[in-house]
Amino acid sequence: MGPGWPSQSLVLPLLGFLLGIAEASHPCDVIRGSYSDWIGSAINKDVVIVGGGISGLSAMKKLLEEQVTDVVILEAQDYLGGRVKTYREGSILIEEGAEWIHGGRRNPLYKLADSLGMLTQPLEDSEYDWRLKTSGGDEASEAGYSVAEEVFNQCGESSALQGYYDTAHGQCFLDRFESLYDDGSTSPEEKNAWLHYLNMWALRDGGVNDWMEQSARDVDQFIAYGGEDKLNQWSQGYDALTNYLKSSIPEEKIKLNTPVCKIFWESDPNGKALIVTATNEAYLTDYVLVTASVGHLKERHLQLFDPSLPARYQNDLNKIDLGVADKIQIGWESPWWEKTDPKPLDLHIIFKNFDLPAEESWLYGIMEVLGVHQQPNVLQAFVVGDSAREMENLSTDDVQRHFLKFLSRVTGQTVPEPSFFRRSQWGKNVWVRGSYSSYITVSGDQAGLKSREPLAEAIINSYGNRVIHWAGEHTHLSRYGTVDGALSSGRRAALEILEEIESDH
């Protein structure tokens, strides 16, 4: 080996990784060695961005606009966008990740999509084939739905949330439901069915694992852009945003399939950070911007950072979590739910009897099956919380079989074999470990994390350099769990780095 190359003891396991024969529980587990083993082969960069999601791309765009050009994005996966992931198959276009532009005109993404001629308007409620069913196929009570809707809306208001700051968001739902639901004319089974429906609704829209886990104070810090029910979309796919951001970035500044496995942030005598990838590359940089999901950081920070992150930051990571909300997407050659003049289906489901076979119990995590906008032959369902994790561990064939059987039972109709089927598995993705929304836990709030501000604070090494910066939806103080929040966080981090560069000069 020539000078600057890692030793043979390092190269052999890396070759095993590249050939797909390494036996490791995580793609980065094959990486070995210390700072001194890697520094000789390091490539110098002013800034290294870890992660090519929306926050990383946004940061890169801003840095390039300000003439900071010695920058590279290292993305672990084979695509850009992170949890923005559009999938196409023939004439079908679905969003495996982010789908909507929440909040209407106040959302900067609304203005951007509109300026690019790629904005669609949401359908009115009257344009849907709206159905309310039990899991056994009977008609469900509209009165029960009205109560669930009222409770859901009330527990999104600051006036209600402030009374629950020291406890869980779910407690608001439980209390309001108990006070509003009149069960004098209904069975206990129906009341419990609507409470379960409300629970799944809260998990789906909040992107959390358990409604008794999320701090009500955290919920109240979210700022809605004039109502989150204003759901616009990108007409040609959400990856139009990814492509827009990427269009201003030279191709050579983006490296896909390049997982970052180690960040040495205290070892360099000049106070820089040394980054090592699973592809046997090393980068020496003044600033590293980490945009990885908080799910990945919680799982891998002890292996990723050398030395470990400051105790303060580690403790704050333990006070936040990332939920799992997966999607089931299924399509046919034509709509089967209505033969003449079909509308997009909007099927709401309550479980009066929890009598599904054990292997199908993941279906309890579904409360609505909805037509996909601009895809008249495709239906979609969210699967949330523990049910999502159960679903992810099943084979695709089993998930499809269970879901078709369930649809037939609920609708009372014969459901034909589909021509398209896809399900997401965000929890199993080792680079994400969850879906769209992070949340401060009740225990985290009680332990002192009252906002996300500490998660966005740069890490200063012993040389006095603010060497590690952070971005991503979990670092936004008021628009966490949104794409515009991720976009804004990347720009904010880039501005921080620009200030550092300017002060150094």
Side-chain angles (χ1 to χ4, degrees):
M1 294 287 178
W5 277 86
S7 67
Q8 187 176 19
S9 63
L10 296 176
V11 173
L12 289 179
L14 289 169
L15 288 174
F17 166 77
L18 294 172
L19 294 172
I21 60 175
E23 295 182 2
S25 59
H26 188 278
C28 282
D29 288 345
V30 296
I31 294 299
R32 300 287 186 272
S34 63
Y35 168 87
S36 59
D37 292 307
W38 293 98
I39 186 61
S41 61
I43 302 167
N44 284 281
K45 291 290 178 184
D46 289 341
V47 183
V48 172
I49 299 174
V50 179
I54 297 303
S55 56
L57 293 170
S58 172
M60 171 69 95
K61 185 175 188 296
K62 181 59 181 175
L63 290 171
L64 292 177
E65 287 172 352
E66 299 299 325
Q67 308 308 310
V68 177
T69 59
D70 193 16
V71 186
V72 66
I73 288 178
L74 305 178
E75 167 55 48
Q77 302 186 90
D78 62 358
Y79 72 98
L80 295 170
R83 283 170 274 171
V84 169
K85 189 176 183 181
T86 305
Y87 179 81
R88 296 171 177 82
E89 185 175 307
S91 62
I92 290 177
L93 182 155
I94 53 97
E95 303 291 354
E96 199 165 312
E99 188 162 352
W100 294 286
I101 300 172
H102 294 269
R105 294 179 182 276
R106 289 183 61 195
N107 191 323
L109 292 181
Y110 181 104
K111 300 171 186 175
L112 177 59
D114 194 25
S115 70
L116 296 174
M118 296 183 182
L119 183 73
T120 66
Q121 299 297 331
L123 296 177
E124 298 295 331
D125 289 346
S126 60
E127 296 182 70
Y128 283 94
D129 179 354
W130 196 83
R131 303 181 191 181
L132 204 56
K133 293 282 191 174
T134 71
S135 59
D138 298 324
E139 297 294 326
S141 162
E142 289 196 23
Y145 175 83
S146 296
V147 170
E149 184 179 41
E150 177 63 21
V151 172
F152 184 85
N153 290 334
Q154 284 188 17
C155 289
E157 296 293 329
S158 182
S159 57
L161 290 167
Q162 288 177 12
Y164 293 90
Y165 268 16
D166 295 326
T167 186
H169 189 207
Q171 193 62 52
C172 179
F173 291 111
L174 290 171
D175 291 349
R176 298 297 173 107
F177 182 82
E178 192 63 38
S179 66
L180 289 175
Y181 191 91
D182 179 8
D183 59 351
S185 60
T186 60
S187 66
E189 290 80 11
E190 183 157 338
K191 179 180 180 180
N192 288 336
W194 281 113
L195 183 60
H196 173 80
Y197 172 91
L198 178 61
N199 190 347
M200 296 304 103
W201 191 354
L203 298 193
R204 184 195 69 179
D205 278 43
V208 302
N209 293 320
D210 185 322
W211 66 358
M212 298 305 290
E213 286 184 355
Q214 185 177 21
S215 157
R217 188 193 320 270
D218 185 44
V219 177
D220 197 27
Q221 291 182 24
F222 184 88
I223 295 177
Y225 286 147
E228 295 303 286
D229 57 335
K230 295 175 171 45
L231 301 176
N232 300 94
Q233 290 179 301
W234 292 81
S235 61
Q236 298 174 37
Y238 222 127
D239 60 357
L241 172 61
T242 306
N243 293 333
Y244 165 77
L245 295 171
K246 187 179 71 170
S247 65
S248 61
I249 303 172
E251 187 175 343
E252 67 272 12
K253 296 187 181 297
I254 298 173
K255 295 182 70 67
L256 299 178
N257 299 303
T258 308
V260 169
C261 296
K262 189 68 73 175
I263 299 174
F264 298 97
W265 59 282
E266 281 279 24
S267 303
D268 186 72
N270 294 311
K272 298 187 177 189
L274 178 69
I275 295 168
V276 179
T277 74
T279 54
N280 196 21
E281 295 172 317
Y283 294 86
L284 188 65
T285 183
D286 295 304
Y287 310 99
V288 54
L289 172 56
V290 179
T291 72
S293 85
V294 72
H296 174 64
L297 289 174
K298 281 173 65 69
E299 181 179 77
R300 296 292 299 184
H301 69 88
L302 290 176
Q303 295 87 353
L304 178 60
F305 295 95
D306 189 338
S308 299
L309 291 170
R312 183 274 305 171
Y313 202 91
Q314 291 190 56
N315 289 336
D316 287 338
L317 277 178
N318 289 329
K319 296 169 187 171
I320 193 167
D321 211 342
L322 182 64
V324 179
D326 284 314
K327 292 179 182 179
I328 302 289
Q329 292 152 327
I330 186 166
W332 295 265
E333 295 299 328
S334 60
W336 51 266
W337 50 91
E338 182 61 61
K339 299 298 183 184
T340 59
D341 192 26
K343 297 180 177 180
L345 183 64
D346 187 6
L347 174 64
H348 295 255
I349 304 159
I350 63 169
F351 291 88
K352 293 176 68 174
N353 299 301
F354 291 82
D355 55 358
L356 294 173
E359 66 273 15
E360 298 176 19
S361 63
W362 65 271
L363 292 162
Y364 295 137
I366 295 175
M367 45 74 64
E368 183 181 22
V369 178
L370 184 67
V372 176
H373 187 37
Q374 300 187 101
Q375 302 292 312
N377 303 339
V378 181
L379 298 178
Q380 172 175 279
F382 277 90
V383 189
V384 296
D386 290 339
S387 295
R389 298 182 191 278
E390 290 178 32
M391 181 276 293
E392 290 191 15
N393 288 323
L394 298 173
S395 70
T396 300
D397 287 344
D398 282 344
V399 173
Q400 178 176 321
R401 179 169 52 83
H402 295 169
F403 190 65
L404 286 172
K405 176 183 173 184
F406 180 64
L407 266 182
S408 180
R409 180 183 176 186
V410 172
T411 62
Q413 296 177 251
T414 299
V415 180
E417 283 296 308
S419 56
F420 173 84
F421 186 85
R422 191 167 178 85
R423 52 88 180 256
S424 63
Q425 292 176 287
W426 289 108
K428 275 196 165 185
N429 186 320
V430 298
W431 307 115
V432 185
R433 292 303 194 202
S435 49
Y436 57 89
S437 192
S438 57
Y439 57 98
I440 297 175
T441 62
V442 174
S443 60
D445 178 276
Q446 293 173 347
L449 188 64
K450 305 301 183 183
S451 82
R452 294 153 187 268
E453 189 171 1
L455 297 168
E457 293 177 1
I459 304 295
I460 304 174
N461 62 19
S462 58
Y463 301 93
N465 296 338
R466 294 162 60 87
V467 67
I468 301 175
H469 293 255
W470 309 96
E473 57 84 17
H474 64 282
T475 69
H476 200 286
L477 304 188
S478 61
R479 290 293 294 177
Y480 55 84
T482 66
V483 179
D484 61 277
L487 186 82
S488 175
S489 75
R491 180 181 173 85
R492 182 261 308 152
L495 290 172
E496 290 176 358
I497 292 171
L498 287 165
E499 286 183 11
E500 292 293 313
I501 292 173
E502 187 173 331
S503 64
D504 287 345
H505 289 83

